[in-house]
């Protein structure tokens, strides 16, 4: 995201600072950027920025969202599971008209689910399959697919915060975190992250399946999630034309 802001968005957006709990990691990233960008604390950065981008963790959302709301700063959230853990601040952002931007991430079909939710939407189910290396604590020599979780999106986001942000995004677009159902599978026969969405309602039936290559830097997430965030940023800065629901 930092590199793309300096290249694709040159002239329309400027990166004013970055932060990581691991200050050395933040310093390494700063040195890789051209021009380099100062490492600032959230308290230094948020009052100065016009858009805050979270690309860290669900815990980070819990720390950054209240500060963004207090300073009336729009925030782009990639770790959407953190929003389910902080519903009060989400409601306060809405009351104060502070925008929260959620990229579609590694999911396709989110526009269809949002549209269907405007009518009668009866069920939404997400089945996610990832290689065992994407999950902490799962044997790397697993020989056959293993069902790790089955239940609500709320429980999935709490149990697997680094793997299941797509479930939180889907829940917020449709039936909410309690009624959205999730199945999470560690599958040693695949090398991609696979997400299957099924939605049923008065509109009919929607089924979408995406085969996502894992991010080279973080196998727990998909490369499409990164590209989706860049596309969301482009939509924010590009002007009045909005494509899709």
């Amino acid at each position: 995201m930092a590199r793309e802001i300096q290249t694709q968005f040159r002239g329309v957006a400027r990166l004013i600072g970055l932060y990581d709990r691991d200050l050395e990691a933040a310093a390494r990233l700063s040195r890789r950027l051209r021009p380099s960008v100062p490492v600032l604390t959230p308290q230094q950065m948020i009052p100065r920025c016009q858009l805050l981008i979270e690309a860290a963790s669900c815990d980070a959302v819990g720390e950054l969202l209240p500060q963004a709301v207090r300073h009336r700063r729009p925030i782009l959230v990639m770790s959407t599971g953190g929003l389910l853990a902080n519903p009060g601040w989400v409601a306060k952002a809405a009351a104060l008209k502070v925008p929260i931007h959620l990229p579609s991430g590694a999911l396709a079909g989110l526009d269809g689910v949002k549209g269907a939710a405007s009518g009668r939407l009866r069920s939404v189910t997400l089945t996610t399959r990832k290689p065992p290396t994407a999950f902490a604590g799962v044997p790397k020599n697993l020989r056959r697919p293993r069902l790790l979780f089955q239940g609500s999106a709320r429980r999935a986001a709490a149990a697997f915060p680094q793997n299941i942000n797509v479930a939180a995004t889907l829940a917020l677009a449709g039936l909410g975190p309690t009624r959205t159902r999730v199945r999470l599978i560690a599958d040693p026969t695949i090398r991609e992250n696979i997400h299957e969405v099924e939605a049923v309602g008065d509109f009919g039936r929607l089924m979408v399946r995406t085969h996502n290559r894992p991010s080279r830097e973080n196998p727990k997430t998909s490369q499409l999630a990164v590209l989706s965030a860049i596309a969301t940023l482009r939509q924010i800065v590009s002007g009045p034309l909005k494509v899709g629901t």
Side-chain angles (χ1 to χ4, degrees):
M1 290 290 289
R3 289 194 299 265
E4 295 303 321
I5 289 171
Q6 290 192 324
T7 55
Q8 287 194 37
F9 298 94
R10 184 180 301 168
V12 295
R14 181 170 62 90
L15 190 64
I16 66 165
L18 55 90
Y19 171 75
D20 193 285
R21 285 178 180 171
D22 183 343
L23 294 179
E24 179 53 37
R28 286 196 301 269
L29 175 57
S30 176
R31 291 192 293 267
R32 289 165 56 192
L33 298 173
R34 296 291 181 273
S36 63
V37 175
V39 176
L40 304 175
T41 66
Q43 291 77 16
Q44 293 171 319
M45 186 163 43
I46 293 173
R48 294 173 50 192
C49 75
Q50 292 177 299
L51 174 69
L52 177 66
I53 298 174
E54 177 278 320
S57 68
C58 292
D59 287 343
V61 175
E63 296 178 16
L64 297 175
L65 180 59
Q67 297 182 62
V69 172
R70 291 189 190 105
H71 289 281
R72 310 292 202 275
R73 295 297 188 265
I75 180 171
L76 188 155
V77 175
M78 295 189 71
S79 306
T80 50
L83 297 180
L84 302 189
N86 295 275
W89 282 105
V90 174
K92 191 165 186 177
L96 295 176
K97 294 182 170 51
V98 176
I100 301 176
H101 301 281
L102 304 184
S104 298
L107 285 182
L110 203 62
D111 54 345
V113 173
K114 286 172 62 180
S118 297
R120 186 182 177 192
L121 184 58
R122 289 193 288 274
S123 67
V124 178
T125 302
L126 170 70
T127 301
T128 289
R129 293 178 172 85
K130 293 186 179 183
T133 53
F135 300 100
V138 174
K140 303 302 182 284
N141 60 348
L142 198 66
R143 293 189 176 184
R144 62 184 62 183
R146 177 182 294 180
L147 179 64
L148 301 180
F149 175 87
Q150 185 167 254
S152 70
R154 186 183 302 280
R155 289 179 52 220
F160 297 89
Q162 293 183 320
N163 292 93
I164 207 66
N165 286 310
V166 288
T169 304
L170 182 63
L172 291 168
L175 288 177
T178 300
R179 294 179 60 196
T180 301
R181 310 307 296 169
V182 175
R183 298 174 71 242
L184 190 57
I185 299 168
D187 190 340
T189 69
I190 61 174
R191 294 185 178 181
E192 301 169 315
N193 298 334
I194 301 175
H195 300 297
E196 299 173 338
V197 176
E198 181 176 5
V200 179
D202 287 351
F203 75 98
R205 183 181 181 213
L206 176 150
M207 294 190 70
V208 180
R209 182 174 183 172
T210 54
H211 291 245
N212 298 290
R213 292 179 179 176
S215 165
R216 292 182 297 272
E217 296 181 358
N218 178 11
K220 294 183 178 67
T221 194
S222 302
Q223 187 66 17
L224 183 59
V226 181
L227 298 175
S228 174
I230 294 169
T232 300
L233 180 57
R234 182 177 293 109
Q235 181 171 268
I236 293 170
V237 303
S238 64
L241 178 64
K242 309 296 181 184
V243 179
T245 303

